[in-house]
Amino acid sequence: MRRLLPSLLAPLLLAALLVASANARALDLDEGWEYRWGDSPFQPDGTPAWVVEPGDEAAWKPIAFPSNPPGRDGHKHAWFRITLPEGEWRDPVLYIYSVDLITQVWFGDERIYQYGRFDAQGEGRFEGWPWHMISLPETFAGRTLYFRVFSDYTDIGLWGEVKLMDRPDLLTYILERSAGELVVSAFLLLLALLAFLFTLVQADQRSFLGIGLFALASGTMLLAETQASQLLIERPLLWDYLAAAGYYTVPLAMGLMLEHWFADRRPTLLRRLWQLHLGYLVVALGLALAGVIDLSSTFPPFDALLVASLVLMFVAIVVHLGELNGEQRLIVLSYGLFALMLLVDMAVAHGLLGWRRVPVHGGALGFAVAIVAISFWHYSRTQHELRRLNHSLEQQVAQRTRELEETVMKLQAFSYQDSLTGLHNRRYFDELLEHEAAMARRHGTPLTLAMIDIDHFKQFNDREGHEAGDTVLIGLGRLLTHHFRDSDEVCRMGGEEFVVVMPGATAAMVEARLAELMEIIDRTRFRYRGQVLDPLTISCGIASYPEHAGEPLTLIGLADKALYSAKHRGRARVETYA
């Protein structure tokens, strides 16, 4: 638990920092869907016939949302399709809240995504309920996207939400909607730790054990079910096992607590209930881990068992409500709120209620607040020790806050930074070129691009090794950064190719600058592990607006042609586009 708390605080604070600036742009795909039952025959090259040959169009039926079409009648295979709309997107992805149970996604004759493993019969085992991010090609508008789905579960198809959005916006969206659950789960796990500590030092051990077990179970369940957990560890089935363990333990903890409170009444029914849930927890998870059954198949029976157990538990509470003190009544009330949220969430999961995000963490938070209020009043005499513990926690939070500030800065720069050289990457260059092109057109100022490529770098890597090659790339990146003006921007395009964006510079100015650079490189010797590496040369291509192009955005192609000319004419030279 001591190691668990810092790891929970990190995503918690990161989510809180990003929520304030969240402004995700998303398009809900909630109309235009069609479905058909069964599985498509496959062509010899492995392409489903239904995605390339329309066949019987009458077999495709409209559906409001691609989930649980009518007339299942034992079907385990279904196909869904939708024609994607127009829109302006930088890095388009399709976000799906969840899928029952495994799926393939086809764009024409190209499979662009798969979750789960399909066997020769088109079937497969449950592999978890994660959210899905499907990268889309730039030419997706107006084209049809197909989903092949297999499920032997009670539900079949996509579930929850389907949205079209940009990749960075999706990360913000996930963190924004996970923030509350992360806060509550971290709080509950801390509460569980305190309750277990009190179990060791207080006389009323069983009461604290029940509280701690309930807090641990609900906190683990919330953490495992929050979508941000998938960003921490990309192991969907692991998180589903943790969620199941927490979910199945909740009524066990409730039964232990109630049995302790009504011990003088010999509560045989309550004891049998929590023992039944303990048995189900062990047997269900044991069989699932052993591969005898899928974890997904353990949820429907447990949901039915939970409904019956909650009814019996609360009947016992109502009958003996007058025997409970004020503290116990407050805890029972918080239990009831949490149980109500669980029942509503269960109804949504089984399609009894329409899709919505049920604030289960709100019920758990109510329980946590009740426990904190009672503990604060009942243990006021231990304030000195609590202040010491709080001070220790504040120091941990402050330390984590400093680390998270660095993490946030890294995350903000991650999508625009080359991880090896520290230079900006191709994505940043594309956006920068659009901006500088607009400025050059507006103000009538020159804009010049210089493409730089290391000569015979593949042979160098083969001879000296890739680690030595990485050393050269890092060193050259630093040399380029220091050689050019502060107003110039050096980017790594990939491999051994770099580009320099030089606003306000003419081709002649850049050519002179590159000539100086080549002289410097000629005198430079890179070292790797104390050894001097073989000398290297570079080839350069220059293109300038408006000297060589009427449109600044075409400079990259012209500079690349000039670079090719330099390579063709013997390398180790500078060529200007002509």
Side-chain angles (χ1 to χ4, degrees), residues 192-376:
L193 172 62
L194 295 175
F196 289 140
L197 290 177
F198 282 129
T199 301
L200 300 176
V201 298
Q202 297 294 329
D204 194 11
Q205 293 181 340
R206 293 197 62 182
S207 177
F208 282 108
L209 179 62
I211 293 173
L213 189 60
F214 184 91
L216 177 62
S218 54
T220 301
M221 181 183 69
L222 288 176
L223 175 63
E225 290 185 344
T226 185
Q227 291 185 302
S229 63
Q230 198 170 324
L231 300 177
L232 298 175
I233 302 176
E234 184 63 26
R235 296 289 297 276
L237 198 55
L238 169 63
W239 289 116
D240 284 331
Y241 269 103
L242 289 175
Y247 184 38
Y248 297 169
T249 304
V250 166
L252 167 61
M254 295 174 68
L256 281 172
M257 180 78 71
L258 292 174
E259 183 196 9
H260 172 66
W261 288 345
F262 300 121
D264 57 339
R265 297 283 182 175
R266 296 183 179 180
T268 304
L269 174 62
L270 294 174
R271 183 181 303 109
R272 293 291 180 263
L273 282 176
W274 74 253
Q275 289 174 345
L276 176 62
H277 279 279
L278 176 60
Y280 189 90
L281 169 69
V282 174
V283 172
L285 294 186
L287 292 176
L289 288 169
V292 178
I293 59 175
D294 280 340
L295 178 65
S296 60
S297 64
T298 67
F299 281 90
F302 177 80
D303 290 340
L305 177 61
L306 178 61
V307 171
S309 298
L310 289 177
V311 171
L312 292 175
M313 287 182 185
F314 280 96
V315 167
I317 291 173
V318 171
V319 172
H320 300 286
L321 190 61
E323 303 172 13
L324 304 180
N325 59 35
E327 297 174 10
Q328 293 171 334
R329 291 181 182 183
L330 181 58
I331 294 177
V332 167
L333 178 62
S334 64
Y335 271 148
L337 176 62
F338 186 58
L340 178 61
M341 293 296 100
L342 285 177
L343 291 174
V344 173
D345 189 52
M346 186 191 308
V348 171
H350 291 287
L352 302 178
L353 295 176
W355 159 253
R356 69 199 68 184
R357 290 180 180 267
V358 181
V360 176
H361 63 282
L365 180 61
F367 165 78
V369 170
I371 295 299
V372 169
I374 292 172
S375 299
F376 182 78

Side-chain angles (χ1 to χ4, degrees), residues 330-573:
L330 181 58
I331 294 177
V332 167
L333 178 62
S334 64
Y335 271 148
L337 176 62
F338 186 58
L340 178 61
M341 293 296 100
L342 285 177
L343 291 174
V344 173
D345 189 52
M346 186 191 308
V348 171
H350 291 287
L352 302 178
L353 295 176
W355 159 253
R356 69 199 68 184
R357 290 180 180 267
V358 181
V360 176
H361 63 282
L365 180 61
F367 165 78
V369 170
I371 295 299
V372 169
I374 292 172
S375 299
F376 182 78
W377 174 79
H378 193 66
Y379 295 102
S380 58
R381 291 173 295 179
T382 61
Q383 286 302 298
H384 175 73
E385 184 63 22
L386 290 176
R387 280 195 296 270
R388 188 190 65 80
L389 178 60
N390 183 60
H391 178 68
S392 174
L393 291 176
E394 286 178 353
Q395 287 181 326
Q396 294 183 37
V397 171
Q399 179 183 352
R400 288 297 175 184
T401 301
R402 290 191 297 269
E403 295 174 357
L404 283 171
E405 288 174 352
E406 298 176 0
T407 302
V408 169
M409 294 178 64
K410 291 178 181 178
L411 284 174
Q412 291 173 341
F414 177 74
S415 61
Y416 294 109
Q417 188 177 58
D418 175 53
S419 60
L420 177 64
T421 63
L423 300 174
H424 287 122
N425 58 16
R426 174 61 185 265
R427 181 178 180 183
Y428 178 86
F429 165 74
D430 290 339
E431 296 185 12
L432 175 66
L433 182 58
E434 289 187 10
H435 171 75
E436 293 297 342
M439 295 295 292
R441 285 192 298 264
R442 183 180 307 164
H443 300 293
T445 55
L447 175 64
T448 301
L449 292 189
M451 302 289 292
I452 301 172
D453 189 271
I454 303 175
D455 296 327
H456 301 297
F457 193 63
K458 182 180 184 305
Q459 292 89 327
F460 179 88
N461 272 338
D462 293 340
R463 185 172 63 254
E464 302 288 352
H466 286 277
E467 291 185 358
D470 289 346
T471 300
V472 169
L473 290 173
I474 294 170
L476 181 58
R478 292 173 181 169
L479 194 154
L480 293 176
T481 301
H482 287 92
H483 182 71
F484 289 97
R485 305 172 303 176
D486 291 341
S487 59
D488 301 333
E489 191 67 59
V490 181
C491 303
R492 184 187 179 197
M493 299 293 282
E496 68 273 23
E497 191 173 48
F498 300 81
V499 63
V500 186
V501 182
M502 305 182 71
T506 64
M509 295 167 58
V510 176
E511 187 172 349
R513 197 70 172 170
L514 288 174
E516 296 175 3
L517 174 64
M518 297 186 73
E519 292 179 1
I520 294 174
I521 292 178
D522 188 54
R523 299 191 302 267
T524 300
R525 295 294 181 272
F526 295 102
R527 291 177 174 270
Y528 175 67
R529 292 184 176 177
Q531 300 295 322
V532 177
L533 301 175
D534 291 344
L536 293 172
T537 62
I538 61 172
S539 297
C540 308
I542 300 171
S544 183
Y545 166 85
E547 183 177 350
H548 303 130
E551 168 53 49
L553 291 177
T554 63
L555 288 178
I556 185 171
L558 302 182
D560 196 56
K561 289 180 180 179
L563 175 61
Y564 177 79
S565 177
K567 292 283 188 180
H568 184 68
R569 294 184 179 183
R571 293 181 170 83
R573 59 189 297 127

